[in-house]
Amino acid sequence: MSAAIIDGKAIAAQVNQETAAAVAAWKAKGITPVLVVVLVGDDPASQIYVRNKTRTCRELGMESRQIVLPAQTTQSELLALIGELNADPEVHGILVQFPLPAHLDEQAVIHAISPKKDVDCFHPENVGNLLIGETEGFSPCTPRGVMELLARSGFDPAGKFAVVIGRSNIVGKPITAMLMQKAKGANATVCCVHSGTPDLAQYTRQADLIVCAIGKPEFLRGDMVKPGAVVIDVGINRVDDPAAPKGYRVVGDVDYDEVSQVASLITPVPGGVGPMTIAMLMRNTVTAVQLAADGK
Ligand code: NDP
């Protein structure tokens, strides 16, 4: 059996079209959504992420402002900037690109961004809202992207056994929380496994749905997957490949060649979850405009 591919690029393009229509509707009312992206230092991967976010923002008709600060920026300088952006009524969404240089405290930054402008959905207030099933505000971008991929591929997690591999605050924990919600498009029985789980494959082999987010190249092998399972690969890893033009290639956390022979539906890397993350950020920026308009 060879799995059908979930085309993240095509689904992200669909979502972006919807977002562009929502942006146009706000602009017709005289409001242009504004996303501010703050980059501290010159990490090359972060520069690429920020560039992609800025480009997509503009393609969808929103305004994107980039603020690039030197690597030696102090904690108080960064927090002062966030304070100014929080207070600026023209700014709807604020995103501080992580990782920050080691001397800066990411948790303090997460707490400092106004929950109403927190388009990454990292603030504890928004994380709490997610956990209790509030649907009006922000959604964390990568996990929401995974849920959209499932919904738009016609896979309903309800009543299924889902295994999430990884428990990070950015991916594993929120996906676990989303899949277990008593809500349409969710309602799965969820098990989250991690580095503290002995014999992790005993769980994945029973799963109807596996979401793999651990940052280990090609970790999930074919013999760890039940025939017919749906497999979502969140991982983005660079592995050396002297034959590739850049000397490396990008692979996921799933051994695609093996697992695609066993699964029924699978996301590729690249072109799976990645494009959805940005699409959800764009959607969150429009949500921020709505929250501002509602005075919430
Ligand atoms: P983190 O490093 O923050 O978390 C990794 C998680 O995996 C941790 O919970 C860790 O366990 C667990 N883990 C690590 N090794 C193992 C192992 N051998 N067996 C079981 N569990 C393990 O990573 P992220 O969640 O931020 O990212 C995961 C992957 O997703 C990365 O490849 C990242 O690049 C990618 N990513 C992709 C995005 C996209 O847009 N497509 C967005 C965000 C991330 P423990 O908690 O015990 O340490």
Side-chain angles (χ1 to χ4, degrees):
M1 182 163 81
S2 191
I5 293 171
I6 299 178
D7 185 346
K9 266 193 195 166
I11 296 176
Q14 235 175 51
V15 173
N16 283 340
Q17 258 184 12
E18 294 161 13
T19 304
V23 170
W26 280 111
K27 286 172 109 172
K29 293 182 196 164
I31 298 171
T32 299
V34 175
L35 173 67
V36 175
V37 181
V38 180
L39 176 63
V40 187
D42 50 13
D43 176 58
S46 293
Q47 284 173 337
I48 294 172
Y49 291 139
V50 166
R51 220 174 21 244
N52 289 343
K53 288 167 188 173
T54 303
R55 195 189 55 227
T56 312
C57 230
R58 291 180 182 155
E59 281 169 3
L60 302 188
M62 294 189 266
E63 186 179 329
S64 174
R65 298 181 191 163
Q66 258 189 53
I67 301 179
V68 182
L69 301 174
Q72 59 275 20
T73 299
T74 64
Q75 183 77 18
S76 54
E77 285 168 338
L78 181 56
L79 293 182
L81 170 67
I82 292 171
E84 284 168 28
L85 296 172
N86 283 340
D88 184 342
E90 271 191 18
V91 173
H92 299 105
I94 304 169
L95 183 153
V96 177
Q97 184 67 44
F98 290 166
L100 291 172
H103 67 282
L104 296 172
D105 178 354
E106 291 185 350
Q107 273 314 109
V109 168
I110 287 171
H111 281 257
I113 293 173
S114 162
K116 314 297 174 219
K117 301 190 177 188
D118 170 37
V119 286
D120 259 335
C121 195
F122 290 165
H123 191 283
E125 182 177 316
N126 290 323
V127 176
N129 282 336
L130 169 82
L131 196 63
I132 63 173
E134 288 282 344
T135 52
E136 272 194 8
F138 299 117
S139 263
C141 301
T142 302
R144 177 55 66 195
V146 169
M147 299 302 281
E148 286 282 342
L149 284 178
L150 294 174
R152 294 180 190 233
S153 314
F155 177 78
D156 184 0
K160 303 290 196 313
F161 181 48
V163 172
V164 177
I165 316 179
R167 59 176 162 191
S168 71
N169 288 339
I170 296 176
V171 190
K173 278 183 200 162
I175 288 186
T176 301
M178 284 168 150
L179 283 167
M180 76 164 70
Q181 293 299 322
K182 191 169 183 175
K184 194 165 175 281
N187 216 15
T189 303
V190 193
C191 167
C192 180
V193 297
H194 42 73
S195 69
T197 307
D199 190 11
L200 174 158
Q202 68 176 304
Y203 303 100
T204 58
R205 281 195 199 103
Q206 298 176 54
D208 305 304
L209 167 66
I210 301 173
V211 181
C212 197
I214 63 172
K216 297 276 183 293
E218 300 175 328
F219 172 87
L220 188 77
R221 307 291 302 269
D223 64 0
M224 298 164 77
V225 176
K226 182 170 86 170
V230 172
V231 177
I232 304 291
D233 188 354
V234 180
I236 302 176
N237 309 288
R238 278 187 183 187
V239 292
D240 292 339
D241 182 355
K246 290 183 180 163
Y248 68 85
R249 69 200 154 84
V250 175
V251 300
D253 290 346
V254 172
D255 184 325
Y256 185 86
D257 290 344
E258 285 190 14
V259 174
S260 61
Q261 294 307 308
V262 185
S264 62
L265 264 179
I266 190 167
T267 56
V269 176
V273 175
M276 292 302 287
T277 298
I278 294 189
M280 293 302 127
L281 173 68
M282 299 298 117
R283 189 199 264 180
N284 274 349
T285 305
V286 175
T287 300
V289 180
Q290 184 68 55
L291 292 176
D294 293 346
K296 285 188 176 167

